[in-house]
Amino acid sequence: MSQSTIPRAAVRGTASGVIFMAFFGTLWAGIGIRGLQGWGFLWLLILSLLIGAILLIGGIVLIMNSNSLSNKMMQGDSQRWKRKNMWFGIIFGLEGVLIAIAAEICVSTNHLDLFVPVMALIVGAHFFPLAHLFQVKIYYISGSLLCLISAITLVTLPIKITWGNHQIMLWWTSVGFSSALILWGTGVAVWITGHRLLNKARNGSKEA
């Protein structure tokens, strides 16, 4: 396999995925922390930020290491990457619109508790077209798990529970922390994929 077979854009694509998972995984952890309504706030916040920062650094380092790769691509490959980036923007934008609509409906109907599980369903669903677009099989697993966690939460768990004198928003906590773990785990898997691509490109370059 030659270096040109794995261009810089391919490795940077995986690195971008890692950075996205780091950022949004940490946001979901924040939702889980908010659901606890003050219980364990500081330590959970520090832990969440630490995990997110480690993944973020991993993605950035992957981008920096990809600088040694060739940025040359065949014209067909270049067009494919442009189409992929275009469809990624469309999928990501549609996800944002659907989340905004869901938020408006939940607020206007006075069912704000529903918003977090519904948002997890939307986020989970958006992984399926991304998996097909970028040929990343783990996105199918991530999307399925997010949708499953949301459905199980809605069907089996109470909205809130009281632990001693402390009230916990169980839907937010359950979905928030579960989604964070799923996205962080996905980020690690994508980083491993990117690292393998980088090593293959370098080995191919040495053999050429």
Side-chain angles (χ1 to χ4, degrees):
M1 182 179 291
S2 67
Q3 182 178 349
S4 60
T5 304
I6 303 176
R8 186 188 307 170
V11 177
R12 289 193 171 185
T14 61
S16 297
V18 174
I19 292 172
F20 268 86
M21 299 306 162
F23 178 74
F24 288 105
T26 305
L27 284 183
W28 276 107
I31 292 173
I33 293 171
R34 184 179 177 186
L36 292 174
Q37 302 200 78
W39 186 83
F41 173 79
L42 181 60
W43 295 110
L44 288 171
L45 179 63
I46 292 173
L47 179 61
S48 299
L49 291 175
L50 181 61
I51 294 173
I54 291 172
L55 272 177
L56 176 63
I57 292 171
I60 293 173
V61 170
L62 197 55
I63 290 175
M64 293 173 62
N65 289 338
S66 72
N67 288 333
S68 61
L69 303 183
S70 172
N71 200 32
K72 294 180 180 180
M73 292 184 287
M74 296 177 63
Q75 186 173 1
D77 291 333
S78 178
Q79 291 300 320
R80 277 194 293 273
W81 276 102
K82 287 180 180 179
R83 285 196 296 271
K84 285 183 178 183
N85 290 333
M86 179 192 71
W87 278 108
F88 171 77
I90 292 173
I91 294 167
F92 191 74
L94 182 59
E95 177 196 24
V97 170
L98 291 176
I99 289 174
I101 292 173
E104 180 63 27
I105 293 174
C106 289
V107 170
S108 62
T109 58
N110 199 28
H111 287 91
L112 186 58
D113 293 323
L114 276 171
F115 174 63
V116 170
V118 170
M119 180 167 61
L121 280 173
I122 295 171
V123 173
H126 107 289
F127 271 102
F128 295 110
L130 288 182
H132 176 73
L133 180 65
F134 293 109
Q135 295 298 298
V136 180
K137 292 182 179 180
I138 194 171
Y139 285 172
Y140 288 115
I141 299 174
S142 304
S144 298
L145 288 175
L146 284 167
C147 292
L148 184 62
I149 288 295
S150 177
I152 290 174
T153 298
L154 288 170
V155 172
T156 65
L157 298 181
I159 298 173
K160 300 177 182 179
I161 61 171
T162 301
W163 190 356
N165 296 323
H166 191 83
Q167 189 177 69
I168 295 175
M169 300 170 66
L170 191 56
W171 278 8
W172 287 37
T173 299
S174 173
V175 174
F177 286 130
S178 297
S179 299
L181 291 174
I182 291 168
L183 294 185
W184 284 334
T186 303
V188 171
V190 173
W191 180 87
I192 292 172
T193 298
H195 195 65
R196 286 174 177 170
L197 286 175
L198 183 64
N199 286 337
K200 284 183 180 180
R202 286 174 170 174
N203 291 336
S205 178
K206 291 177 182 179
E207 293 171 2

